Amino acid sequence: MRSASRLVLPLAFLAALACSSPGRPTGDTSVDRATLEMDAPMEVERDIVLAIHGGAGTILREEMTAELDAAYRAELSAALEAGYAVLAAGGTSLEAVEAAIRPLEDSPLFNAGRGAVLTDDGHVELDASVMTGHDRRAGAIAGARTPRHPITAARAVMEWTSHVLLSGDGADRFVAERALQRMDPAWFVTPRRQQQLERMRAEDGGDEERKYGTVGCVALDDEGRLAAGTSTGGMARKAWGRIGDSPLIGAGTWADDATCAVSCTGHGEFFIRGVIAHQIHARMDFGGVDLPSAARATVLEALPEAGGSGGCVALGADGTLVAPFTTPGMYRGWVDRDGSVTVRIHGDERH
Ligand code: ASP
């Protein structure tokens, strides 16, 4: 137990507002770096920490009803409570990550599990990954159609196979063999996502309005072990077979007790090409910089410079927590010093 010495944990949340500026081509999500801001650091005293995201994107107040806003906040809070309860009971960070992500996968509000976005041909193809920081083990599934909880399937790949990533039919066969809960592929498809696909087809849109909606969690347990997990349906109207960053270790998910745990959300192709989760780790490991600097340089500078958009939650081995994003909003939350839950959605919600 590390609890003998209470840690003082600076909790610095980064937020970036992607202001639309004239002269940019439609769909250009690059941001003006002058608009990127950083929330004031917050002091948190504790030896267990948990944070989640529910996706970054164009989350506009004018498009959010009071009921929907309340529903998002309630479900993010419930997920945080589920994960935190595991840590508070002495569970591992891996168990906490899984416990926090499962309710978000069950919620039709988020782009993971039931309610995930649809492929161009109207199916759900689920991606998820987990990684533990003390041993750098990892597991992932991609393009699966049946696991009710893709994050649990990813954990099972890590714990029950000698592989890291199983895809497509193989992932579904593995889920069946492990007797994990399976659902009919139609169970995952919600009317809201069907309407979204129809709208996108009518407008011939790609990744509609850049609302990403992936879910992820990072946690630090009282043994000082970090873990990260991410679960998604990918990008709306993606091509069949397309695999994003979320199941790719180093792109969408990373954990190393020497540096940090990271879970990403955003336009996956840019996260893959920038190896964004690992890039944050590498800046700390090889460059010796602290987590806020590494996260800022990666997510608020390198990512938009490459034309990408999105965000992450990243938790340092010392408990430092950051949540940078280049989009107008990112569903996010964490548990503070007395175990109470904070949830934020918009970029202008600050300390
Ligand atoms: N990163 C995910 C992907 O590209 C999408 C998201 O974050 O919602 O598959």
Side-chain angles (χ1 to χ4, degrees):
M1 297 279 287
R2 292 183 312 129
S3 47
S5 61
R6 289 191 96 193
L7 300 177
V8 178
L9 307 172
L11 184 63
F13 272 81
L14 308 172
L17 301 176
C19 300
S20 56
S21 59
R24 288 210 180 107
T26 311
D28 182 351
T29 58
S30 62
V31 295
D32 178 351
R33 280 168 56 180
T35 69
L36 301 179
E37 296 175 26
M38 179 165 161
D39 285 356
M42 192 166 81
E43 294 285 306
V44 174
E45 282 187 38
R46 67 174 331 103
D47 42 21
I48 56 176
V49 185
L50 183 101
I52 60 173
H53 68 77
T58 310
I59 306 162
L60 302 175
R61 283 183 194 283
E62 53 271 26
E63 289 173 9
M64 183 77 88
T65 64
E67 292 73 27
L68 198 55
D69 182 282
Y72 272 111
R73 289 177 197 270
E75 301 210 353
L76 290 165
S77 298
L80 283 165
E81 278 158 14
Y84 187 78
V86 170
L87 291 179
T92 67
S93 49
L94 173 66
E95 290 164 345
V97 163
E98 184 186 1
I101 288 178
R102 285 170 61 109
L104 298 173
E105 291 178 331
D106 277 342
S107 166
L109 289 181
F110 298 95
N111 172 19
R114 182 157 182 271
V117 298
L118 304 182
T119 60
D120 193 33
D121 56 3
H123 293 104
V124 163
E125 293 183 358
L126 303 162
D127 299 342
S129 64
V130 291
M131 186 167 184
T132 45
H134 66 287
D135 53 7
R136 293 210 341 199
R137 293 180 74 206
I141 56 152
R145 294 193 174 187
T146 59
R148 174 168 176 180
H149 294 114
I151 198 70
T152 299
R155 179 180 172 183
V157 171
M158 180 176 100
E159 293 183 330
W160 293 95
T161 79
S162 55
H163 308 304
V164 169
L165 173 60
L166 296 180
S167 71
D169 291 344
D172 286 313
R173 281 178 60 180
F174 171 74
V175 168
E177 274 175 25
R178 288 299 320 154
L180 302 178
Q181 193 172 4
R182 298 165 72 217
M183 307 304 281
D184 187 286
W187 179 81
F188 296 93
V189 178
T190 60
R192 176 173 166 237
R193 295 304 187 188
Q194 283 174 318
Q195 286 157 15
Q196 177 188 42
L197 182 61
E198 278 159 27
R199 222 169 35 239
M200 290 174 77
R201 281 179 178 152
E203 293 163 5
D204 201 24
D207 40 62
E208 192 206 36
E209 301 150 24
R210 297 195 186 266
K211 285 179 185 152
Y212 298 118
T214 287
V215 306
C217 179
V218 288
L220 175 66
D221 63 31
D222 69 3
E223 300 287 337
R225 292 168 301 203
L226 287 167
T230 311
S231 181
T232 190
M235 303 282 279
R237 209 187 169 192
K238 66 185 180 182
W240 42 258
R242 179 265 189 190
I243 292 171
D245 60 310
S246 306
L248 301 184
I249 298 303
T253 300
W254 183 260
D256 185 332
D257 282 4
T259 54
C260 60
V262 184
S263 172
C264 298
T265 170
H267 193 153
E269 280 67 12
F270 292 92
F271 283 74
I272 295 170
R273 287 155 55 192
V275 205
I276 293 297
H278 183 269
Q279 189 180 139
I280 296 172
H281 152 84
R283 288 180 192 273
M284 296 176 73
D285 197 19
F286 307 133
V289 301
D290 62 13
L291 178 61
S293 307
R296 169 179 284 279
T298 303
V299 176
L300 301 186
E301 295 176 14
L303 177 68
E305 273 168 20
S309 65
C312 74
V313 286
L315 177 58
D318 64 353
T320 303
L321 182 58
V322 293
F325 51 96
T326 68
T327 45
M330 180 169 79
Y331 299 103
R332 61 203 188 277
W334 59 92
V335 183
D336 79 11
R337 72 178 65 196
D338 57 5
S340 68
V341 162
T342 300
V343 166
R344 294 196 174 134
I345 297 178
H346 305 285
D348 56 6
E349 287 177 69
R350 295 277 165 77
H351 305 295

